[in-house]
Amino acid sequence: MAVLKQEGVDTIFGFPGGVVIDIFDELSRTDIQYILVRHEQGAIHAADGYARAKKRVGVCLVTSGPGATNTVSGIASAYMDSIPVVVLTGQVPTALIGNDAFQEVDIVGITRPCTKHNYLVKRTEDLARVLREAFHIARSGRPGPVLVDLPKDVTQGKARYKPLPQPDIPSYSPTYKPNTKQLQRAVTLIKGAKRPVVFSGGGVILSGGSNELTKFAKKLHAPVTASLMGLGSFPGTDPLWLGMLGMHGTYRANMAIGACDLLIGIGVRFDDRVTGRVETFAPNAKIIHVDIDPTSISKNIPVTVPIVGDCKTSLRELNRILVREKVKFTKRARKPWLDKIQNWKDTTPLKYEQKNIIKPQYVVEKLYELTNGKAIITTEVGQNQMWTAQYYHFDRPHCFITSGGLGCMGFGFPAAIGAQVACPDRLVVDVAGDGSIQMNIQELATAVQYKLPVKVVILNNRYLGMVRQWQELFYGKRYTATDMKHAPDFAKLAESYGALGLKATKPREVEAVLKQGLDSPGPAFMDFWVAREEGVYPMVPAGAAITEMLLA
Amino acid sequence: MQKHTISLLVDNEPGVLSRVAGLFSGRGFNIESLCVAETLDPSVSRITLVTRGDDAVAEQIKKHLNKLINVIKLYDLTGTEYVDREMALIKVKAKAEHRPEILRIVDIFRCKVVDVSPSHYTIEVTGTAEKLSAILGLLRPVGIKEIARTGAIALAREKKLRGR
């Protein structure tokens, strides 16, 4: 407990069980608040949402066996998105380990490939050191989840506590400072580029480098695109903003990638959802890639100038060199390139038609308007996630929280709860689909119990919409296992939990329902019956080049 | 597909080998052989592993290994001066008429007979992978009953790779 305080932990998301009673008991004697969730997956996603909104390490505490295994999806999600969380799992007493004891599972073995690191603590006297290391590893370098498995006898034991200094792990020293020569090479490429594109990712947000990125892009007067994880790292209302790129990226962003002569990727990992067919990705471009994790560089896409370093530090250094060498591009200098992009934007914008059935895009646009773009938005996974990414314009970092890499349905609602705990004064909205919301709907009880006024916008098409869209396009409209004909009445369900439940079936009701829901003091479910077979466009079919988009 | 011999110094802790092996299986890299033992410092083990891949794959393998918290130091010996050895125990049928021939081969390859019975010899042989393959080829006609073979262990020439 003393270590947790030393690490600045103020909240733990958890669910108890036999082998962690001691820890919860001890917790009650501290001022660390715990949030009792209704399922362990909720605890880990909430810790993830908390970490992203608060820019701190999120902590979750669960029991052994099923408690631990229930967190695995959430750990994998945090791992893919590089989110700093520390997962404390109970374990059977050391003497019983390996005996197939009640609620025993080798969680360290199970989570080895989806944690940044993990520990089994065998002696009480190691506990303080291991916890310190866990927090240090989780938050430093490329952040990620660290799991600490705590056998019952270890947490029951007593050891003298002495505050420990910052851990020093000789075999672990992330590179923060970029190599000067590589920076210089990058600047040389920047000077010569006629059609540059800046491609920003989650790394920029994690490093707190959004201001530096914006400065950098303005100096270059270069258009900026971002991965799903990078949304908010550059103002979504800026004229240089291209929108997201990739499978459901904007037409202009993907076309710009195809035409650019220099691509500057910062804190990105060139995921397949971004690149499409790798051979045809940015075929005319030299690529500069800045990332703190050397394994991300040249993993999927060969790069011209690799820069290993912290995004914020690297951008600051780059900006410094640009100032020193008086490199500054004007709007006039970029005119041919920006005109071309404007033309793509004018001819092929994001579009939908709002007729007599509610369009999901319309709901997201209205949500954007009514919140002035200032809410913390979480999403589930699928169409709801993509529409949010396309139609909600994020001007600031840490406002968009989504399971990007793993694509874990059921993420958004508990993550919103975590974000609300982190930022009690902010409006937090989960944009959900009817499929995803049912995966962790039990957390409504958590939201109500702790008076967390989380709002949930359900884009209800009674389909698993994203898979249905693939079936429509690539499987001859055979909607196998995607028709969710039967669903609860979400409004009534919310009421039964003690939350506000609202429903809109006509376009003219959308705004009123949103207003009522957003203005209400407590948690609210807003159920929007949307056009069942609306698709997310543009769409790049799997395996195609990202410039080969289906537009509707 | 070049062969890469990589030498790792790692924390001598439970689970470390699993982290290394899991990395290879999880990311679809192949391991041709792997040898692990403690170094002079009991808190450190040396893993020697041999893998195959083009330059890009080898680069990824090394980066990922380096990323493991328990990997203290990594040396890619490929393309450098190094000594590598494998060992095999070979149990061969030893009929009376074959015995002189077997012993001649043992002599030529500077191996040792480490176990004898009326019907067999067990031969200990140490050398490079090529040498081991060569002796196995020569012994095959007399009848190999079974073999146990290690992967490669390796050390760089010069002083830079002194074990701890």
Side-chain angles (χ1 to χ4, degrees), chain A residues 45 51 58-59 65 88 117 190 234-235 286 310 374 475 536:
Chain A
H45 288 328
V59 183
L88 307 172
H117 197 55
I190 288 168
F234 185 81
K286 296 209 160 66
D310 173 63
K374 291 204 166 68
Y475 292 85
V536 181

Side-chain angles (χ1 to χ4, degrees), chain A residues 295-530:
Chain A
T295 65
S296 284
I297 293 178
S298 290
K299 178 176 67 180
N300 301 333
I301 301 278
V303 304
T304 323
V305 180
I307 298 174
V308 177
D310 173 63
C311 291
K312 181 178 183 166
T313 315
S314 304
L315 283 164
R316 196 184 280 155
E317 290 292 306
L318 279 170
N319 286 337
R320 222 170 41 83
I321 301 176
L322 292 174
V323 169
R324 196 179 62 209
E325 306 203 355
K326 300 195 173 59
V327 183
K328 190 158 171 44
F329 289 88
T330 57
K331 196 170 174 182
R332 180 193 291 261
R334 288 281 183 245
K335 194 160 185 312
W337 178 223
L338 294 178
D339 281 353
K340 202 167 186 170
I341 288 166
Q342 188 61 41
N343 185 41
W344 285 321
K345 187 178 178 180
D346 293 341
T347 55
T348 324
L350 286 175
K351 62 170 190 291
Y352 66 93
E353 265 182 80
Q354 179 57 63
K355 285 187 192 154
N356 46 5
I357 306 173
I358 303 173
K359 285 294 174 77
Q361 299 95 323
Y362 175 72
V363 179
V364 176
E365 272 197 333
K366 277 284 157 216
L367 176 67
Y368 174 69
E369 277 172 40
L370 292 172
T371 56
N372 297 317
K374 291 204 166 68
I376 294 179
I377 302 286
T378 71
T379 73
E380 303 294 337
V381 171
Q383 291 183 317
N384 59 79
Q385 184 182 31
M386 292 298 112
W387 283 317
T388 308
Q390 292 178 335
Y391 290 92
Y392 202 102
H393 312 292
F394 295 93
D395 274 338
R396 289 191 297 154
H398 310 288
C399 291
F400 180 54
I401 297 175
T402 194
S403 175
L406 191 71
C408 188
M409 287 172 69
F411 172 87
F413 186 35
I417 288 175
Q420 188 75 78
V421 171
C423 307
D425 301 328
R426 298 278 302 275
L427 173 64
V428 183
V429 184
D430 171 32
V431 179
D434 54 303
S436 287
I437 191 63
Q438 292 186 66
M439 284 204 175
N440 272 318
I441 202 158
Q442 75 287 344
E443 297 308 326
L444 244 175
T446 312
V448 173
Q449 178 172 338
Y450 293 95
K451 301 190 170 56
L452 301 166
V454 173
K455 316 297 177 194
V456 181
V457 168
I458 303 173
L459 306 174
N460 186 349
N461 56 11
R462 287 136 284 149
Y463 271 126
L464 296 170
M466 187 58 95
V467 179
R468 188 211 58 78
Q469 181 174 344
W470 283 56
Q471 290 171 331
E472 174 191 330
L473 296 169
F474 314 117
Y475 292 85
K477 299 198 175 183
R478 294 184 299 281
Y479 299 153
T480 314
T482 45
D483 192 349
M484 306 255 281
K485 263 178 267 195
H486 184 80
D489 180 326
F490 290 111
K492 282 191 189 151
L493 183 77
E495 280 166 16
S496 81
Y497 274 99
L500 175 66
L502 302 166
K503 182 166 168 176
T505 53
K506 298 189 185 66
R508 62 184 153 77
E509 297 166 352
V510 170
E511 193 162 336
V513 163
L514 275 173
K515 270 190 184 151
Q516 196 191 340
L518 296 176
D519 291 343
S520 68
F525 265 35
M526 293 162 264
D527 183 12
F528 296 94
W529 281 51
V530 299

Side-chain angles (χ1 to χ4, degrees), chain B residues 5-9 46 73-77 160-161:
Chain B
T5 304
I6 293 170
S7 177
L8 300 168
L9 293 174
R46 182 185 297 280
K73 189 87 189 139
L74 178 151
Y75 307 91
D76 184 1
L77 298 171
K160 65 176 176 186
L161 238 185

